[in-house]
């Protein structure tokens, strides 16, 4: 073979070899370990790009809740909550004064939304019958799936269970924050110290009425400003100072209602005495909370008995009318026998329920519970309770200090603040920073109150008759109490009202509570 023929043959062989190599390189099925010449150093094909991850669609939730302000809040806070929780929220606010009626109407017409806040503990008791009828989702079995909801206090959750099952989340509150808010400048002028016992309390109220504490030489002041509420007005707090049981008491191993206690009658006698002396607003049974507050902030009344946390707003409005006014708080008022006590709530002031008629299945329920789980993070809880940092509050010493523009905060934040689940210990939100001495003292007294707090022994118990008739029957006692204090009913008349209560279902309530209590 000559050189020319050999050269041609070599070219053909090389060309054929190159063709085989190319085919082999493109046939990855023949060698899974063969390197991919089109792959970049990250192992992804150059011609392929990562697909963008689509954001999760916001969960749509409708929420019904009572409104404790004059106007519906704007969307300022709602918009921030939606961003933090990836939700689209519809809030249905209804005035607190008529909320119970709206709640009942919505339930009767099957129009309750996915998230339904009740008004208070009383409305929760009324709703227990519907809970037993299967109208609401049982949420207890799901809480372990949500780490933040799992932080809720077991003792308080137990107080909200129905027949041992959990259907609600709670809005936490301090156990015992009730006490006396009073005009210290009046007391100092009249030479009166904070009342050490119930008799000294009466003396203060009487002196505030007759001693011309405002110095205008006119009999135009009263001791106590009260309202038409035997629980959150002055009556129940003063009753606990007398040693009255908290709703129910254990007498020789058997439960009986508070109004059958001699201490309850002593409390009625005390209020009758104060009213007869005109040392309080004599029409208190027809006085709204707004009017009660106005009596104090206008400078007419010297004492307000209720939640000591109200002192900030009371002082703010009072000094507008009386710039020189000085206010203090107090709670340790001894009974005639020298003992100390105060009543307590079961750790919550309201609950939220999840109607089955509005939540179609378990998957939807879990999405809603996921929203509440996010609500119990510091970021969301602070937004709902305090508002926007730098606008509604600032952080001082690791605590939230309310901004100077309280009207703005009231308008934009208050509506959402009342719906925050849990409490600072469980949701991580800021504790409040206070520079008002009376409020600082109130916070300390609230801690002390918890040490002498009287619990309601029926808080975690159920009575079918009470659920059905309790509110109606309580009106009998409420009416009789007012009539006694007004002097329109004597002790025999009050005893007759109690007998009527027992006859119309009270005896059955006592029997049912004791059947559970004594197990």
């Amino acid at each position: 073979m000559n050189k020319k023929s050999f050269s041609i043959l070599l070219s053909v062989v090389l060309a054929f070899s190159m063709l085989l190599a190319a085919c082999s390189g493109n046939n990855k099925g023949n060698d899974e370990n063969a390197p991919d010449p089109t792959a970049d150093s990250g192992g992804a094909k150059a011609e392929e790009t990562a697909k963008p991850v689509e954001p999760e669609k916001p969960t749509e939730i409708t929420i019904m809740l009572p409104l404790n302000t004059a106007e519906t809040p704007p969307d300022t806070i709602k918009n921030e909550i939606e961003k933090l929780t990836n939700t689209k929220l519809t809030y249905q606010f209804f005035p607190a004064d008529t909320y119970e009626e709206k709640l009942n109407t919505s339930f009767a017409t099957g129009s309750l939304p996915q998230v339904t806040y009740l008004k208070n503990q009383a409305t929760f008791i009324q709703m227990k019958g519907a809970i037993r009828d299967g109208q609401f989702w049982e949420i207890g079995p799901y809480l372990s799936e949500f780490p933040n909801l799992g932080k809720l206090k077991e003792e308080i959750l137990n107080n909200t269970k129905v027949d041992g099952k959990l259907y609600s989340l709670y809005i936490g509150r301090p156990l015992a924050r009730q006490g006396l808010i009073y005009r210290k400048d009046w007391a100092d002028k009249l030479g009166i110290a904070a009342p050490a016992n119930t008799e000294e309390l009466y003396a203060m109220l009487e002196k505030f009425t007759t001693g011309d504490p405002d110095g205008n030489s006119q009999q135009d002041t009263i001791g106590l400003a009260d309202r038409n509420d035997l629980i959150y007005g002055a009556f129940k707090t003063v009753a606990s100072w007398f040693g009255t049981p908290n709703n129910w008491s254990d007498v020789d191993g058997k439960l009986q209602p508070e109004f059958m206690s001699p201490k309850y009658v002593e409390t009625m006698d005390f209020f009758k005495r104060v009213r007869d002396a005109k040392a309080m607003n004599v029409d208190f049974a027809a006085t709204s909370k707004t009017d009660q507050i106005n009596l104090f902030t206008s400078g007419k009344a010297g004492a307000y008995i209720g939640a000591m946390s109200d002192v900030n707003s009371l002082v703010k409005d009072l000094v507008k009318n009386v710039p020189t006014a000085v206010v203090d708080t107090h709670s340790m008022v001894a009974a005639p026998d020298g003992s100390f006590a105060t009543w307590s709530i079961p750790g919550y002031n309201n609950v939220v329920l999840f109607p089955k008629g509005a939540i179609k299945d378990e998957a939807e329920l879990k999405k809603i519970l996921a929203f509440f789980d996010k609500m119990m993070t510091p970021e969301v809880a602070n937004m709902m309770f305090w508002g926007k940092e730098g606008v509604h509050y600032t952080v001082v010493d690791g605590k939230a200090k309310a901004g100077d523009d309280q009207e703005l905060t009231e308008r934009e934040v208050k509506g959402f603040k009342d719906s925050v689940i849990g409490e600072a210990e469980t949701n991580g939100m800021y504790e409040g920073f206070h520079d008002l001495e009376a409020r600082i003292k109130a916070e300390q007294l609230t801690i002390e109150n918890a040490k002498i707090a009287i619990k309601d022994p029926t808080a975690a118990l159920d009575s079918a008759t009470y659920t059905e008739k309790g509110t109606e029957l309580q009106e009998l006692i409420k009416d009789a109490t007012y009539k006694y204090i007004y002097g329109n009913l004597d002790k025999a008349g009050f005893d007759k009202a109690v007998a009527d209560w027992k006859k119309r279902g009270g005896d059955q309530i006592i029997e049912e509570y004791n059947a559970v209590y004594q197990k």
Side-chain angles (χ1 to χ4, degrees), residues 54-55 72 156 188 218 244 359 416 429 467:
E54 294 185 7
T72 299
I156 301 176
D188 289 345
Q218 298 179 35
T244 305
I359 301 175
F416 302 96
M429 67 183 181
T467 300

Side-chain angles (χ1 to χ4, degrees), residues 22 108 235 253 347 426 437 466 502:
F235 186 86
T426 55
E437 285 298 324
Y466 187 85
K502 295 175 69 176

Side-chain angles (χ1 to χ4, degrees), residues 391-511:
V391 177
H392 304 105
Y393 76 98
T394 54
V395 179
V396 179
D397 296 335
K399 297 182 177 182
K401 180 181 179 181
D404 294 332
D405 192 344
Q406 287 300 293
E407 284 78 10
L408 176 67
T409 301
E410 183 85 359
R411 183 171 64 254
E412 296 187 345
V413 183
K414 174 65 173 173
F416 302 96
K417 178 178 182 176
D418 293 338
S419 67
V420 176
I421 299 300
E423 52 277 292
E425 305 99 291
T426 55
N427 60 33
M429 67 183 181
Y430 290 120
E431 297 279 4
F433 174 89
H434 304 291
D435 49 16
L436 178 67
E437 285 298 324
R439 179 59 187 272
I440 294 172
K441 186 176 178 181
E443 293 298 305
Q444 296 169 342
L445 289 171
T446 298
I447 295 172
E448 293 303 310
N449 278 351
K451 299 175 183 177
I452 57 171
I454 308 169
K455 295 183 179 181
D456 176 0
T458 67
L461 306 182
D462 286 310
S463 160
T465 305
Y466 187 85
T467 300
E468 179 186 356
K469 299 180 178 180
T471 303
E472 171 194 337
L473 290 176
Q474 192 61 32
E475 285 299 312
L476 281 175
I477 303 303
K478 180 179 178 181
D479 184 57
T481 300
Y482 284 141
K483 285 181 177 178
Y484 187 100
I485 295 170
Y486 273 50
N488 299 326
L489 203 65
D490 59 12
K491 178 60 165 56
F494 183 79
D495 289 343
K496 185 177 182 302
V498 173
D500 195 21
W501 178 88
K502 295 175 69 176
K503 182 179 179 181
R504 293 170 60 175
D507 277 335
Q508 187 67 23
I509 294 173
I510 293 174
E511 182 179 334

Side-chain angles (χ1 to χ4, degrees), residues 234-247:
F235 186 86
K236 191 171 182 68
T237 297
V238 174
S240 68
W241 292 341
F242 271 93
T244 305
N246 184 6
N247 297 332

